[in-house]
Amino acid sequence: MTEIEHGSGNVYADLGLPDAGEMLVKAQLAAKIGSILKARHLTQAQAAEILGMPQPKVSEMLRGRFRGISETKMIDCLARLGRDVQIVVKAAPRSRKEGRVEVVFV
């Protein structure tokens, strides 16, 4: 029998990476950027011009290699693609000691 282990919802945490929370946020932002670019049928060169970054960086981001791209830059990319981005800070529930960072798309 194969044992199945349920994940935490964050593959980076499951792999034991120290910056798992940040990596998950970046992955979610990159996926959204990629879906917008795909829906607009933009080439990477066209996307690079809109996003204000070199085409190789766009390629890396879309392939999940976003360690050299800040969350702030990804948020800027979403704004350049016509998306409003809100950052909401609220108290964590008493059931948790620490807050968490999550991305919610509406």
Side-chain angles (χ1 to χ4, degrees):
M1 276 250 177
T2 302
E3 187 176 327
I4 298 174
E5 183 177 330
H6 292 280
S8 68
N10 182 341
V11 67
Y12 302 103
D14 295 342
L15 292 171
L17 298 177
D19 53 353
E22 179 184 350
M23 295 302 290
L24 179 61
V25 167
K26 285 182 174 185
Q28 292 168 324
L29 294 172
K32 186 63 172 180
I33 292 166
S35 70
I36 294 168
L37 297 176
K38 185 176 181 178
R40 291 189 183 180
H41 306 288
L42 295 172
T43 66
Q44 286 186 4
Q46 292 167 325
E49 188 172 324
I50 292 168
L51 301 179
M53 56 195 302
Q55 180 276 326
K57 270 293 199 211
V58 172
S59 178
E60 286 179 14
M61 178 176 60
L62 297 177
R63 292 178 180 200
R65 297 182 184 129
F66 33 74
R67 284 199 183 269
I69 303 170
S70 70
E71 291 171 31
T72 302
K73 179 58 182 172
M74 293 175 137
I75 289 169
D76 178 63
C77 289
L78 288 166
R80 288 171 178 249
L81 290 169
R83 297 301 188 267
D84 289 336
V85 179
Q86 293 180 328
I87 299 174
V88 178
V89 179
K90 63 181 183 176
R94 292 181 184 197
S95 60
R96 277 191 280 114
K97 196 176 196 178
E98 292 186 10
R100 65 177 174 218
V101 177
E102 63 184 338
V103 178
V104 179
F105 298 106
V106 290

